[in-house]
Amino acid sequence: MKELQKTPFPESFLWGSASAAYQIEGAWDKDGKSPSIWDQYVRIPGTTYKGTNGDVAVDHYHRWEEDIDLMAEMGLKTYRFSIAWTRIFPNNMDEVNQKGLDFYQGIIDKCVAKGIVPMVTIYHWDLPQYLQDQYLGWEDRRIVADFKKYAETLFKAFGDKVKHWITLNEQNIFTGLGYQLAVHPPKYKNEDKIFYQVNHHAFLAHAEAVLSFADIVENGHIGASFAYTPSYATDARPLNAIAKQDYDDLRSYWWMDVYAYGRYPKAAFKHLEDNGLAPVVEEGDLDLFKKAAQIVDFMGINYYQTAMVEFADKNWVSGEGTMNTTGKKGTSTVTGTPGLFKNPQNPFLSTTDWDWTIDAEGIRYALRDINSRYDLPVVISENGLGAFDKFEDGKIHDQYRISFLQDHLLAVKQAMDEGVDVWAYCTWSFTDLLSWLNGYQKRYGFVYVDQHEEVENPSLNRSKKDSFYWYQEAIATKGMSLYQGNGAVNKISELEVLKASSKEA
Ligand code: BG6
């Protein structure tokens, strides 16, 4: 609707970067910490790339001061990190581990002292294993009370200094990969009925935490971080447009509608009821959702890519839905749901080595969609490029990452010019870290960490990549540097392509 204005980002814009406890901390059994479901899962042979695990990760547990010094040197305005439940309540839900609280207090205090706004994710997938053993974790409604207690403990301990809270990271991903695709714990395959019930419990846990937050934390903000993969219909055939609606309802609005409105999308709920897959909703659940939705004051999104949607016949065979966890381009397969939709590759977009589409306009699409549908401000809690990095002349010249982030930031700015209220933009990630299933070779950071799959005793030393200095300049100039040089000049939006082709015609 509007062309990009070459103006600064707002003064209050939170230029950020993000991480998650399991992916960076290491020290998996130190200072009272107990195993999480990930500590156990990675020990099952064949589950992760070359058997990598987060036992040491990038040793942030011992190097957090150095890492925060680097953030301060960069000029970062916000740092999003998660807290490991297993450090806070390692053995049961009755005894708090003071050493766990102290660790995070140190991080928070140092961030605040350096002028970095701490943004805390309460849950980034590392459920205590004892809760999985006791009652199957998210499958049981008891998780709701336990999550509430854990969240309240954090609000009370840190709520004076932490004003930005994220309840759950990517509920759609940890449930989808855990209960449908069998690639995350608890490794269930196609358990759709359980998947929706688990999600219902997660929504309840989120909602209870939000209500507690309102009682405990003054002048704070809270929301969830949703992995939003916006969709485009493959063409103008009405059947494909309906397939897109089904995809949007079942893959996106199912979560975002609950966070923002406190209700499930109607057509999707009906579809699940008709197929015996709808969750059991007890009296009062939807009221709780609604109350929480009134308190949630931003939509958190993790944006990486878009999907293309095409109708899939009920006889369509989806195959195994193989994920590319090796970085060998072209090894992932088409996924979908027979009778509803499938997601073929978009021929207009290039992909990363892990077959994720690269689509900067997609983040603008996502932001505008959220703005229109929910009228909520947005926190972009993750966006980034997973890539192989190699040293040349003793440096990492990651121009590919710079171009990716630059194009996305310019698309964010354009959406802001079009009226979307974006509070924060967090890149994934600050340092390199463990990429769950993909080992250490899929790197995301501004700071290279000497950690690898098959190297014994790596130094774990930190080195700044070219992208570190690029982001530093973007922050210092409030985004004005983005309009010079590569990204801005090269950015060719769909609209410009269309305009050019209509002129030619
Ligand atoms: C998000 C997660 O799904 O994407 C992160 O919140 C994750 O934890 C990131 O690392 C990138 O995914 P991956 O699989 O490439 O590590």
Side-chain angles (χ1 to χ4, degrees), residues 23 124-125 169-170 302 304 356 382 428 435-436 438 442 444:
Q23 297 179 270
H124 200 127
W125 307 353
N169 179 71
E170 298 190 349
N302 295 351
Y304 288 91
W356 294 21
E382 286 180 31
W428 187 262
S435 172
W436 304 101
N438 314 288
K442 188 180 188 186
Y444 281 95

Side-chain angles (χ1 to χ4, degrees), residues 428-472:
W428 187 262
S429 50
F430 184 72
T431 62
D432 288 340
L433 39 68
L434 173 66
S435 172
W436 304 101
L437 304 175
N438 314 288
Y440 291 99
Q441 63 164 5
K442 188 180 188 186
R443 293 178 182 270
Y444 281 95
F446 292 127
V447 174
Y448 183 91
V449 180
D450 180 33
Q451 170 64 300
H452 311 269
E453 284 76 36
E454 289 169 315
V455 175
E456 266 186 50
N457 302 319
S459 73
L460 298 162
N461 285 343
R462 274 69 172 143
S463 341
K464 290 171 247 175
K465 304 180 192 176
D466 286 1
S467 56
F468 180 98
Y469 301 102
W470 163 84
Y471 202 50
Q472 185 179 47

Side-chain angles (χ1 to χ4, degrees), residues 319-335:
E320 283 300 298
T322 312
M323 281 171 73
N324 170 356
T325 58
T326 58
K328 290 197 184 90
K329 227 175 174 159
T331 52
S332 58
T333 56
V334 175
T335 55

Side-chain angles (χ1 to χ4, degrees), residues 225-489:
S225 277
F226 177 69
Y228 187 21
T229 300
S231 71
Y232 311 132
T234 189
D235 60 28
R237 269 178 285 190
L239 208 55
N240 290 330
I242 300 285
K244 172 183 157 53
Q245 284 188 319
D246 289 339
Y247 170 94
D248 288 346
D249 274 0
L250 285 163
R251 292 286 166 86
S252 302
Y253 301 145
W254 187 263
W255 289 268
M256 290 196 286
D257 280 11
V258 176
Y259 299 142
Y261 296 139
R263 59 168 158 73
Y264 288 118
K266 276 188 189 170
F269 203 89
K270 173 84 172 53
H271 166 78
L272 296 181
E273 272 181 334
D274 292 349
N275 289 281
L277 299 174
V280 176
V281 177
E282 291 185 8
E283 209 186 323
D285 288 357
L286 297 178
D287 285 344
L288 182 69
F289 287 0
K290 286 215 159 55
K291 279 188 196 141
Q294 279 161 13
I295 295 163
V296 160
D297 60 353
F298 64 85
M299 182 67 77
I301 57 160
N302 295 351
Y303 174 82
Y304 288 91
Q305 56 178 330
T306 50
M308 196 170 75
V309 181
E310 187 178 349
F311 174 69
D313 189 77
K314 66 177 180 339
N315 299 318
W316 175 69
V317 183
S318 71
E320 283 300 298
T322 312
M323 281 171 73
N324 170 356
T325 58
T326 58
K328 290 197 184 90
K329 227 175 174 159
T331 52
S332 58
T333 56
V334 175
T335 55
T337 308
L340 294 176
F341 53 78
K342 60 185 169 187
N343 303 115
Q345 189 54 50
N346 187 330
F348 299 102
L349 298 174
S350 59
T351 55
T352 71
D353 286 323
W354 281 263
D355 297 328
W356 294 21
T357 58
I358 300 176
D359 184 6
E361 290 303 332
I363 200 167
R364 179 176 163 212
Y365 181 98
L367 293 171
R368 288 185 47 172
D369 187 40
I370 290 170
N371 203 36
S372 305
R373 193 172 173 101
Y374 304 115
D375 193 16
L376 276 174
V378 182
V379 165
I380 300 165
S381 36
E382 286 180 31
N383 175 231
L385 174 72
F388 297 107
D389 286 331
K390 279 205 186 72
F391 276 96
E392 279 170 56
D393 333 317
K395 302 253 182 253
I396 304 274
H397 301 300
D398 55 344
Q399 184 55 44
Y400 37 90
R401 183 169 293 108
I402 294 174
S403 300
F404 179 98
L405 294 174
Q406 176 139 336
D407 284 351
H408 283 74
L409 265 165
L410 290 170
V412 168
K413 175 62 167 48
Q414 193 161 3
M416 293 167 79
D417 292 340
E418 291 168 319
V420 185
D421 186 8
V422 182
W423 287 356
Y425 173 83
C426 295
T427 68
W428 187 262
S429 50
F430 184 72
T431 62
D432 288 340
L433 39 68
L434 173 66
S435 172
W436 304 101
L437 304 175
N438 314 288
Y440 291 99
Q441 63 164 5
K442 188 180 188 186
R443 293 178 182 270
Y444 281 95
F446 292 127
V447 174
Y448 183 91
V449 180
D450 180 33
Q451 170 64 300
H452 311 269
E453 284 76 36
E454 289 169 315
V455 175
E456 266 186 50
N457 302 319
S459 73
L460 298 162
N461 285 343
R462 274 69 172 143
S463 341
K464 290 171 247 175
K465 304 180 192 176
D466 286 1
S467 56
F468 180 98
Y469 301 102
W470 163 84
Y471 202 50
Q472 185 179 47
E473 192 188 5
I475 299 170
T477 61
K478 300 186 179 58
M480 291 305 284
S481 63
L482 301 175
Y483 306 122
Q484 299 148 12
N486 294 336
V489 174

